[in-house]
Structure formats: structure tokens, C-alpha cells
Amino acid sequence: MCKSPISQEDIQQKGINRRSFLRTGLGSAVTVAALATASKLAGAAENPYADPAEPALPPSDMVLNIKRTALVVTDPQVDFLSPDGVTWGVVGASVTEHGTVAN
């Protein structure tokens, strides 16, 4: 059996208990997370449209031609997730199998 480097006597003398240890550790973790988030938000506030420092996808060479561009809006509740939707014949079995609507 491994012996702890901190004895029960040390714990009693120093007033260390599990609750205070966890509270201190949790407080430190929250502080670090808040600082990291604030740092990212500060960078985004400078230029919200700037490319990310570490992009998740490779760069694209696509050129957007505004004269030949359209915006397609779909209603997933009707078009994809309902048996009455226009795509139900294509996606209905998958939606049902994975319980998409219930989830």
C-alpha cells in the first residue's frame, strides 16, 4: 500500500481538507479558463473577421462571384425532419434510425 506524503497530522495542523483543496483547485481552473477566454475575445474584438490563428480547415482557393451567388434557406423542421418534407425520401430512414427528432 502506498503511503501518502501528507499525514493526517499534517492535514489537521495545516487545516487542509478535501473541500478546501477542491475549492482552491476549481477556483484556479475557472480563473485560467476565464483568462484564456478573455484573451481570445480581446483578439476577436480587434478584427472579428480576421482569419483564425489556427484554422480547423485547410485554406480554400474558391473565388465568390457575387453575380452568380444565391442564398438558400431551408427549414429543417419541415424540409428535413418531417415525413411531409421534400427530402424525407432521402433522409427519412436516417432521421428515424438515429432518433434525430427525439434528440
Short mmCIF file of all heavy atoms in Angstrom, two decimals, residues 35-103:
data_model
loop_
_atom_site.label_atom_id
_atom_site.label_comp_id
_atom_site.label_asym_id
_atom_site.label_seq_id
_atom_site.Cartn_x
_atom_site.Cartn_y
_atom_site.Cartn_z
N LEU A 35 -9.35 33.63 -18.08
CA LEU A 35 -8.26 34.40 -18.70
C LEU A 35 -8.05 33.99 -20.15
O LEU A 35 -7.84 34.83 -21.02
CB LEU A 35 -6.97 34.24 -17.90
CG LEU A 35 -6.95 34.93 -16.53
CD1 LEU A 35 -5.69 34.55 -15.77
CD2 LEU A 35 -7.05 36.44 -16.69
N ALA A 36 -8.11 32.70 -20.42
CA ALA A 36 -7.94 32.22 -21.79
C ALA A 36 -9.06 32.73 -22.69
O ALA A 36 -8.84 33.17 -23.81
CB ALA A 36 -7.88 30.69 -21.81
N THR A 37 -10.29 32.68 -22.18
CA THR A 37 -11.44 33.16 -22.96
C THR A 37 -11.34 34.66 -23.19
O THR A 37 -11.58 35.14 -24.31
CB THR A 37 -12.76 32.83 -22.22
OG1 THR A 37 -12.82 31.42 -22.03
CG2 THR A 37 -13.95 33.29 -23.01
N ALA A 38 -10.97 35.41 -22.17
CA ALA A 38 -10.84 36.86 -22.31
C ALA A 38 -9.77 37.21 -23.33
O ALA A 38 -9.92 38.13 -24.13
CB ALA A 38 -10.51 37.49 -20.96
N SER A 39 -8.70 36.43 -23.33
CA SER A 39 -7.62 36.67 -24.29
C SER A 39 -8.11 36.45 -25.72
O SER A 39 -7.83 37.24 -26.62
CB SER A 39 -6.44 35.74 -23.98
OG SER A 39 -5.47 35.83 -24.98
N LYS A 40 -8.86 35.38 -25.92
CA LYS A 40 -9.39 35.10 -27.25
C LYS A 40 -10.40 36.17 -27.68
O LYS A 40 -10.41 36.60 -28.82
CB LYS A 40 -10.05 33.72 -27.29
CG LYS A 40 -9.07 32.59 -27.27
CD LYS A 40 -9.77 31.26 -27.35
CE LYS A 40 -8.78 30.13 -27.28
NZ LYS A 40 -9.40 28.83 -27.31
N LEU A 41 -11.26 36.59 -26.74
CA LEU A 41 -12.25 37.61 -27.06
C LEU A 41 -11.58 38.94 -27.38
O LEU A 41 -12.03 39.67 -28.25
CB LEU A 41 -13.24 37.77 -25.92
CG LEU A 41 -14.20 36.61 -25.70
CD1 LEU A 41 -15.06 36.85 -24.47
CD2 LEU A 41 -15.06 36.36 -26.91
N ALA A 42 -10.52 39.26 -26.68
CA ALA A 42 -9.80 40.51 -26.94
C ALA A 42 -9.23 40.50 -28.35
O ALA A 42 -9.30 41.49 -29.07
CB ALA A 42 -8.69 40.72 -25.92
N GLY A 43 -8.70 39.36 -28.77
CA GLY A 43 -8.16 39.24 -30.13
C GLY A 43 -9.27 39.35 -31.17
O GLY A 43 -9.10 39.98 -32.21
N ALA A 44 -10.44 38.76 -30.87
CA ALA A 44 -11.56 38.82 -31.80
C ALA A 44 -12.12 40.23 -31.89
O ALA A 44 -12.62 40.64 -32.93
CB ALA A 44 -12.64 37.84 -31.37
N ALA A 45 -12.05 40.98 -30.79
CA ALA A 45 -12.58 42.34 -30.79
C ALA A 45 -11.76 43.26 -31.69
O ALA A 45 -12.28 44.22 -32.24
CB ALA A 45 -12.61 42.89 -29.37
N GLU A 46 -10.47 42.97 -31.84
CA GLU A 46 -9.63 43.78 -32.71
C GLU A 46 -10.12 43.71 -34.15
O GLU A 46 -10.24 44.71 -34.82
CB GLU A 46 -8.18 43.31 -32.61
CG GLU A 46 -7.55 43.60 -31.27
CD GLU A 46 -6.18 42.94 -31.15
OE1 GLU A 46 -5.62 42.51 -32.17
OE2 GLU A 46 -5.69 42.85 -30.02
N ASN A 47 -10.33 42.52 -34.65
CA ASN A 47 -10.85 42.33 -36.00
C ASN A 47 -11.66 41.04 -36.02
O ASN A 47 -11.10 39.96 -36.18
CB ASN A 47 -9.71 42.25 -37.02
CG ASN A 47 -10.24 42.10 -38.44
OD1 ASN A 47 -11.45 42.01 -38.67
ND2 ASN A 47 -9.35 42.06 -39.39
N PRO A 48 -12.97 41.13 -35.86
CA PRO A 48 -13.78 39.92 -35.79
C PRO A 48 -13.78 39.11 -37.09
O PRO A 48 -14.18 37.95 -37.08
CB PRO A 48 -15.17 40.44 -35.46
CG PRO A 48 -15.17 41.86 -35.88
CD PRO A 48 -13.75 42.33 -35.74
N TYR A 49 -13.32 39.70 -38.19
CA TYR A 49 -13.31 38.99 -39.47
C TYR A 49 -11.93 38.48 -39.85
O TYR A 49 -11.74 37.96 -40.94
CB TYR A 49 -13.85 39.91 -40.57
CG TYR A 49 -15.26 40.36 -40.28
CD1 TYR A 49 -15.51 41.66 -39.88
CD2 TYR A 49 -16.32 39.47 -40.34
CE1 TYR A 49 -16.80 42.09 -39.58
CE2 TYR A 49 -17.61 39.89 -40.03
CZ TYR A 49 -17.84 41.18 -39.67
OH TYR A 49 -19.11 41.59 -39.35
N ALA A 50 -10.97 38.60 -38.95
CA ALA A 50 -9.61 38.14 -39.22
C ALA A 50 -9.60 36.61 -39.29
O ALA A 50 -10.39 35.93 -38.64
CB ALA A 50 -8.66 38.62 -38.14
N ASP A 51 -8.69 36.08 -40.09
CA ASP A 51 -8.54 34.63 -40.16
C ASP A 51 -8.08 34.12 -38.80
O ASP A 51 -7.31 34.78 -38.10
CB ASP A 51 -7.50 34.26 -41.22
CG ASP A 51 -8.01 34.49 -42.63
OD1 ASP A 51 -9.24 34.47 -42.82
OD2 ASP A 51 -7.18 34.68 -43.54
N PRO A 52 -8.53 32.94 -38.40
CA PRO A 52 -8.11 32.41 -37.10
C PRO A 52 -6.62 32.08 -37.10
O PRO A 52 -6.04 31.75 -38.14
CB PRO A 52 -8.95 31.14 -36.94
CG PRO A 52 -9.40 30.78 -38.31
CD PRO A 52 -9.44 32.05 -39.10
N ALA A 53 -6.01 32.15 -35.92
CA ALA A 53 -4.58 31.85 -35.80
C ALA A 53 -4.31 30.39 -36.15
O ALA A 53 -3.30 30.07 -36.77
CB ALA A 53 -4.11 32.15 -34.39
N GLU A 54 -5.22 29.50 -35.76
CA GLU A 54 -5.08 28.07 -36.05
C GLU A 54 -6.35 27.57 -36.72
O GLU A 54 -7.24 27.04 -36.05
CB GLU A 54 -4.82 27.31 -34.76
CG GLU A 54 -3.52 27.70 -34.08
CD GLU A 54 -3.32 26.96 -32.76
OE1 GLU A 54 -3.85 25.84 -32.62
OE2 GLU A 54 -2.66 27.53 -31.89
N PRO A 55 -6.48 27.72 -38.04
CA PRO A 55 -7.71 27.31 -38.71
C PRO A 55 -7.92 25.80 -38.64
O PRO A 55 -6.97 25.03 -38.64
CB PRO A 55 -7.52 27.77 -40.16
CG PRO A 55 -6.06 28.00 -40.32
CD PRO A 55 -5.50 28.27 -38.95
N ALA A 56 -9.18 25.39 -38.55
CA ALA A 56 -9.52 23.97 -38.48
C ALA A 56 -9.48 23.31 -39.86
O ALA A 56 -9.25 22.12 -39.96
CB ALA A 56 -10.90 23.80 -37.86
N LEU A 57 -9.69 24.09 -40.90
CA LEU A 57 -9.71 23.55 -42.26
C LEU A 57 -8.57 24.14 -43.08
O LEU A 57 -8.09 25.24 -42.79
CB LEU A 57 -11.04 23.90 -42.94
CG LEU A 57 -12.29 23.35 -42.27
CD1 LEU A 57 -13.54 23.91 -42.94
CD2 LEU A 57 -12.31 21.84 -42.33
N PRO A 58 -8.16 23.43 -44.13
CA PRO A 58 -7.11 23.99 -44.98
C PRO A 58 -7.64 25.20 -45.75
O PRO A 58 -8.84 25.34 -45.95
CB PRO A 58 -6.77 22.84 -45.93
CG PRO A 58 -7.95 21.94 -45.91
CD PRO A 58 -8.58 22.11 -44.55
N PRO A 59 -6.75 26.09 -46.20
CA PRO A 59 -7.21 27.27 -46.94
C PRO A 59 -7.90 26.87 -48.24
O PRO A 59 -7.59 25.84 -48.84
CB PRO A 59 -5.93 28.05 -47.20
CG PRO A 59 -4.81 27.11 -46.97
CD PRO A 59 -5.31 26.03 -46.07
N SER A 60 -8.82 27.70 -48.68
CA SER A 60 -9.57 27.45 -49.91
C SER A 60 -9.16 28.44 -50.99
O SER A 60 -8.85 29.59 -50.69
CB SER A 60 -11.07 27.60 -49.64
OG SER A 60 -11.79 27.54 -50.85
N ASP A 61 -9.18 27.97 -52.22
CA ASP A 61 -8.87 28.88 -53.32
C ASP A 61 -10.15 29.30 -54.06
O ASP A 61 -10.10 29.83 -55.16
CB ASP A 61 -7.88 28.23 -54.29
CG ASP A 61 -8.41 26.93 -54.88
OD1 ASP A 61 -9.50 26.47 -54.47
OD2 ASP A 61 -7.73 26.36 -55.75
N MET A 62 -11.30 29.08 -53.42
CA MET A 62 -12.57 29.43 -54.04
C MET A 62 -12.72 30.95 -54.16
O MET A 62 -12.36 31.69 -53.25
CB MET A 62 -13.73 28.90 -53.19
CG MET A 62 -15.09 29.17 -53.81
SD MET A 62 -16.43 28.59 -52.78
CE MET A 62 -16.74 30.03 -51.79
N VAL A 63 -13.22 31.38 -55.30
CA VAL A 63 -13.50 32.80 -55.53
C VAL A 63 -15.01 32.95 -55.62
O VAL A 63 -15.66 32.27 -56.40
CB VAL A 63 -12.82 33.30 -56.83
CG1 VAL A 63 -13.17 34.74 -57.09
CG2 VAL A 63 -11.32 33.11 -56.74
N LEU A 64 -15.57 33.83 -54.81
CA LEU A 64 -17.01 34.03 -54.77
C LEU A 64 -17.41 35.06 -55.82
O LEU A 64 -16.96 36.20 -55.80
CB LEU A 64 -17.42 34.51 -53.38
CG LEU A 64 -18.91 34.64 -53.12
CD1 LEU A 64 -19.59 33.28 -53.20
CD2 LEU A 64 -19.12 35.24 -51.75
N ASN A 65 -18.27 34.63 -56.76
CA ASN A 65 -18.78 35.52 -57.79
C ASN A 65 -20.16 35.98 -57.33
O ASN A 65 -21.14 35.23 -57.43
CB ASN A 65 -18.85 34.81 -59.13
CG ASN A 65 -19.35 35.69 -60.25
OD1 ASN A 65 -19.89 36.77 -60.01
ND2 ASN A 65 -19.17 35.24 -61.47
N ILE A 66 -20.25 37.20 -56.82
CA ILE A 66 -21.50 37.72 -56.25
C ILE A 66 -22.64 37.70 -57.27
O ILE A 66 -23.79 37.47 -56.91
CB ILE A 66 -21.29 39.16 -55.72
CG1 ILE A 66 -20.23 39.16 -54.61
CG2 ILE A 66 -22.57 39.76 -55.21
CD1 ILE A 66 -20.61 38.37 -53.38
N LYS A 67 -22.36 37.89 -58.54
CA LYS A 67 -23.41 37.90 -59.57
C LYS A 67 -24.02 36.52 -59.79
O LYS A 67 -25.12 36.42 -60.30
CB LYS A 67 -22.86 38.44 -60.89
CG LYS A 67 -22.51 39.91 -60.80
CD LYS A 67 -21.99 40.41 -62.12
CE LYS A 67 -21.65 41.90 -62.00
NZ LYS A 67 -21.18 42.47 -63.25
N ARG A 68 -23.29 35.47 -59.41
CA ARG A 68 -23.79 34.11 -59.62
C ARG A 68 -24.00 33.38 -58.29
O ARG A 68 -23.97 32.17 -58.22
CB ARG A 68 -22.80 33.32 -60.47
CG ARG A 68 -22.65 33.87 -61.88
CD ARG A 68 -21.65 33.05 -62.66
NE ARG A 68 -21.87 31.63 -62.53
CZ ARG A 68 -22.49 30.86 -63.42
NH1 ARG A 68 -22.94 31.40 -64.52
NH2 ARG A 68 -22.64 29.57 -63.22
N THR A 69 -24.22 34.14 -57.23
CA THR A 69 -24.35 33.56 -55.90
C THR A 69 -25.79 33.67 -55.42
O THR A 69 -26.46 34.66 -55.66
CB THR A 69 -23.42 34.30 -54.91
OG1 THR A 69 -22.09 34.19 -55.38
CG2 THR A 69 -23.51 33.70 -53.52
N ALA A 70 -26.25 32.61 -54.75
CA ALA A 70 -27.60 32.62 -54.19
C ALA A 70 -27.53 32.15 -52.74
O ALA A 70 -26.63 31.41 -52.35
CB ALA A 70 -28.50 31.68 -54.98
N LEU A 71 -28.49 32.59 -51.96
CA LEU A 71 -28.62 32.14 -50.58
C LEU A 71 -29.82 31.22 -50.52
O LEU A 71 -30.94 31.60 -50.88
CB LEU A 71 -28.82 33.35 -49.65
CG LEU A 71 -29.12 33.02 -48.19
CD1 LEU A 71 -27.95 32.29 -47.55
CD2 LEU A 71 -29.46 34.27 -47.43
N VAL A 72 -29.60 29.99 -50.07
CA VAL A 72 -30.68 29.02 -49.97
C VAL A 72 -31.00 28.85 -48.49
O VAL A 72 -30.14 28.51 -47.69
CB VAL A 72 -30.28 27.67 -50.58
CG1 VAL A 72 -31.39 26.65 -50.41
CG2 VAL A 72 -29.91 27.85 -52.04
N VAL A 73 -32.25 29.09 -48.13
CA VAL A 73 -32.69 28.96 -46.74
C VAL A 73 -33.62 27.76 -46.66
O VAL A 73 -34.56 27.65 -47.44
CB VAL A 73 -33.42 30.24 -46.28
CG1 VAL A 73 -33.91 30.09 -44.84
CG2 VAL A 73 -32.52 31.45 -46.43
N THR A 74 -33.32 26.87 -45.71
CA THR A 74 -34.19 25.71 -45.53
C THR A 74 -34.73 25.73 -44.11
O THR A 74 -34.13 26.29 -43.20
CB THR A 74 -33.43 24.39 -45.74
OG1 THR A 74 -32.39 24.30 -44.77
CG2 THR A 74 -32.86 24.30 -47.13
N ASP A 75 -35.86 25.09 -43.94
CA ASP A 75 -36.44 24.93 -42.62
C ASP A 75 -36.27 23.46 -42.26
O ASP A 75 -37.02 22.61 -42.75
CB ASP A 75 -37.92 25.31 -42.64
CG ASP A 75 -38.59 25.13 -41.28
OD1 ASP A 75 -37.91 24.66 -40.34
OD2 ASP A 75 -39.77 25.47 -41.17
N PRO A 76 -35.26 23.14 -41.43
CA PRO A 76 -35.01 21.73 -41.15
C PRO A 76 -36.18 21.04 -40.47
O PRO A 76 -36.36 19.84 -40.64
CB PRO A 76 -33.77 21.75 -40.24
CG PRO A 76 -33.71 23.12 -39.69
CD PRO A 76 -34.35 24.01 -40.71
N GLN A 77 -37.00 21.79 -39.73
CA GLN A 77 -38.13 21.17 -39.05
C GLN A 77 -39.12 20.60 -40.05
O GLN A 77 -39.75 19.59 -39.79
CB GLN A 77 -38.84 22.20 -38.15
CG GLN A 77 -37.99 22.72 -37.02
CD GLN A 77 -37.58 21.62 -36.04
OE1 GLN A 77 -38.38 20.77 -35.68
NE2 GLN A 77 -36.34 21.64 -35.61
N VAL A 78 -39.27 21.26 -41.20
CA VAL A 78 -40.22 20.79 -42.20
C VAL A 78 -39.50 20.06 -43.33
O VAL A 78 -39.83 18.92 -43.65
CB VAL A 78 -41.05 21.97 -42.77
CG1 VAL A 78 -41.94 21.50 -43.90
CG2 VAL A 78 -41.88 22.61 -41.67
N ASP A 79 -38.48 20.69 -43.91
CA ASP A 79 -37.84 20.13 -45.10
C ASP A 79 -37.08 18.84 -44.84
O ASP A 79 -37.03 17.97 -45.71
CB ASP A 79 -36.89 21.16 -45.71
CG ASP A 79 -37.62 22.37 -46.26
OD1 ASP A 79 -38.83 22.24 -46.58
OD2 ASP A 79 -37.00 23.44 -46.37
N PHE A 80 -36.45 18.69 -43.67
CA PHE A 80 -35.61 17.53 -43.42
C PHE A 80 -36.12 16.59 -42.33
O PHE A 80 -35.84 15.41 -42.35
CB PHE A 80 -34.18 17.97 -43.04
CG PHE A 80 -33.46 18.65 -44.15
CD1 PHE A 80 -33.52 20.03 -44.28
CD2 PHE A 80 -32.75 17.92 -45.09
CE1 PHE A 80 -32.86 20.67 -45.32
CE2 PHE A 80 -32.10 18.55 -46.12
CZ PHE A 80 -32.15 19.93 -46.25
N LEU A 81 -36.83 17.11 -41.36
CA LEU A 81 -37.16 16.31 -40.19
C LEU A 81 -38.61 15.87 -40.12
O LEU A 81 -39.04 15.27 -39.14
CB LEU A 81 -36.81 17.10 -38.91
CG LEU A 81 -35.35 17.55 -38.82
CD1 LEU A 81 -35.13 18.39 -37.57
CD2 LEU A 81 -34.41 16.37 -38.84
N SER A 82 -39.37 16.14 -41.15
CA SER A 82 -40.78 15.78 -41.15
C SER A 82 -41.09 14.82 -42.31
O SER A 82 -40.58 15.00 -43.41
CB SER A 82 -41.63 17.04 -41.32
OG SER A 82 -42.97 16.72 -41.60
N PRO A 83 -41.95 13.83 -42.07
CA PRO A 83 -42.35 12.94 -43.17
C PRO A 83 -43.02 13.70 -44.32
O PRO A 83 -43.08 13.21 -45.45
CB PRO A 83 -43.34 11.98 -42.51
CG PRO A 83 -42.97 11.99 -41.06
CD PRO A 83 -42.49 13.39 -40.79
N ASP A 84 -43.50 14.91 -44.06
CA ASP A 84 -44.11 15.72 -45.12
C ASP A 84 -43.07 16.56 -45.87
O ASP A 84 -43.42 17.25 -46.83
CB ASP A 84 -45.17 16.66 -44.53
CG ASP A 84 -46.31 15.89 -43.88
OD1 ASP A 84 -46.62 14.77 -44.36
OD2 ASP A 84 -46.89 16.40 -42.90
N GLY A 85 -41.83 16.54 -45.42
CA GLY A 85 -40.78 17.37 -46.02
C GLY A 85 -40.34 16.87 -47.39
O GLY A 85 -40.49 15.69 -47.72
N VAL A 86 -39.75 17.77 -48.16
CA VAL A 86 -39.34 17.44 -49.53
C VAL A 86 -38.17 16.46 -49.58
O VAL A 86 -37.99 15.78 -50.59
CB VAL A 86 -39.00 18.72 -50.32
CG1 VAL A 86 -40.21 19.58 -50.50
CG2 VAL A 86 -37.88 19.50 -49.66
N THR A 87 -37.37 16.36 -48.53
CA THR A 87 -36.22 15.47 -48.56
C THR A 87 -36.42 14.19 -47.75
O THR A 87 -35.50 13.40 -47.61
CB THR A 87 -34.96 16.19 -48.02
OG1 THR A 87 -35.21 16.56 -46.67
CG2 THR A 87 -34.61 17.39 -48.85
N TRP A 88 -37.63 14.00 -47.20
CA TRP A 88 -37.85 12.86 -46.34
C TRP A 88 -37.52 11.54 -47.03
O TRP A 88 -36.99 10.62 -46.42
CB TRP A 88 -39.28 12.84 -45.83
CG TRP A 88 -39.49 11.79 -44.77
CD1 TRP A 88 -40.10 10.59 -44.90
CD2 TRP A 88 -39.04 11.87 -43.41
NE1 TRP A 88 -40.08 9.90 -43.73
CE2 TRP A 88 -39.43 10.67 -42.79
CE3 TRP A 88 -38.36 12.81 -42.68
CZ2 TRP A 88 -39.15 10.39 -41.45
CZ3 TRP A 88 -38.09 12.55 -41.35
CH2 TRP A 88 -38.48 11.36 -40.76
N GLY A 89 -37.78 11.44 -48.30
CA GLY A 89 -37.48 10.22 -49.04
C GLY A 89 -35.99 9.90 -49.05
O GLY A 89 -35.58 8.74 -49.11
N VAL A 90 -35.16 10.91 -48.94
CA VAL A 90 -33.71 10.72 -48.96
C VAL A 90 -33.16 10.54 -47.54
O VAL A 90 -32.32 9.68 -47.31
CB VAL A 90 -33.02 11.94 -49.64
CG1 VAL A 90 -31.52 11.80 -49.61
CG2 VAL A 90 -33.54 12.11 -51.04
N VAL A 91 -33.63 11.35 -46.59
CA VAL A 91 -33.04 11.34 -45.25
C VAL A 91 -33.92 10.71 -44.18
O VAL A 91 -33.48 10.51 -43.06
CB VAL A 91 -32.67 12.78 -44.80
CG1 VAL A 91 -31.66 13.41 -45.74
CG2 VAL A 91 -33.90 13.65 -44.67
N GLY A 92 -35.15 10.39 -44.50
CA GLY A 92 -36.10 9.91 -43.50
C GLY A 92 -35.63 8.68 -42.73
O GLY A 92 -35.78 8.63 -41.51
N ALA A 93 -35.07 7.70 -43.43
CA ALA A 93 -34.62 6.47 -42.73
C ALA A 93 -33.52 6.81 -41.73
O ALA A 93 -33.51 6.29 -40.60
CB ALA A 93 -34.13 5.45 -43.75
N SER A 94 -32.60 7.67 -42.10
CA SER A 94 -31.51 8.05 -41.20
C SER A 94 -32.03 8.85 -40.00
O SER A 94 -31.62 8.62 -38.86
CB SER A 94 -30.47 8.88 -41.96
OG SER A 94 -29.46 9.33 -41.09
N VAL A 95 -32.94 9.77 -40.27
CA VAL A 95 -33.53 10.58 -39.19
C VAL A 95 -34.24 9.68 -38.19
O VAL A 95 -34.08 9.83 -36.97
CB VAL A 95 -34.51 11.64 -39.76
CG1 VAL A 95 -35.32 12.30 -38.66
CG2 VAL A 95 -33.74 12.68 -40.57
N THR A 96 -34.98 8.72 -38.68
CA THR A 96 -35.70 7.79 -37.82
C THR A 96 -34.74 6.88 -37.06
O THR A 96 -34.85 6.69 -35.85
CB THR A 96 -36.68 6.94 -38.66
OG1 THR A 96 -37.55 7.82 -39.37
CG2 THR A 96 -37.50 6.02 -37.79
N GLU A 97 -33.77 6.30 -37.78
CA GLU A 97 -32.80 5.37 -37.18
C GLU A 97 -32.00 6.01 -36.06
O GLU A 97 -31.75 5.41 -35.02
CB GLU A 97 -31.84 4.85 -38.25
CG GLU A 97 -30.78 3.92 -37.72
CD GLU A 97 -29.81 3.47 -38.81
OE1 GLU A 97 -30.14 3.59 -40.00
OE2 GLU A 97 -28.73 3.02 -38.44
N HIS A 98 -31.60 7.26 -36.24
CA HIS A 98 -30.76 7.93 -35.25
C HIS A 98 -31.56 8.72 -34.21
O HIS A 98 -30.98 9.33 -33.33
CB HIS A 98 -29.76 8.87 -35.96
CG HIS A 98 -28.74 8.11 -36.74
ND1 HIS A 98 -28.84 7.99 -38.10
CD2 HIS A 98 -27.65 7.43 -36.36
CE1 HIS A 98 -27.82 7.26 -38.53
NE2 HIS A 98 -27.08 6.91 -37.51
N GLY A 99 -32.88 8.69 -34.33
CA GLY A 99 -33.71 9.40 -33.35
C GLY A 99 -33.43 10.90 -33.34
O GLY A 99 -33.46 11.54 -32.29
N THR A 100 -33.17 11.47 -34.51
CA THR A 100 -32.80 12.88 -34.60
C THR A 100 -33.85 13.80 -34.02
O THR A 100 -33.53 14.72 -33.27
CB THR A 100 -32.53 13.25 -36.08
OG1 THR A 100 -31.53 12.38 -36.60
CG2 THR A 100 -32.08 14.68 -36.21
N VAL A 101 -35.10 13.58 -34.32
CA VAL A 101 -36.16 14.46 -33.83
C VAL A 101 -36.28 14.34 -32.32
O VAL A 101 -36.37 15.35 -31.62
CB VAL A 101 -37.49 14.15 -34.53
CG1 VAL A 101 -38.63 14.96 -33.94
CG2 VAL A 101 -37.38 14.41 -36.03
N ALA A 102 -36.24 13.15 -31.81
CA ALA A 102 -36.36 12.95 -30.35
C ALA A 102 -35.18 13.56 -29.61
O ALA A 102 -35.32 14.04 -28.49
CB ALA A 102 -36.46 11.46 -30.05
N ASN A 103 -34.01 13.53 -30.23
CA ASN A 103 -32.82 14.06 -29.57
C ASN A 103 -32.75 15.55 -29.73
O ASN A 103 -31.99 16.22 -29.14
CB ASN A 103 -31.55 13.40 -30.10
CG ASN A 103 -31.45 11.96 -29.66
OD1 ASN A 103 -31.84 11.63 -28.56
ND2 ASN A 103 -30.94 11.10 -30.50
#
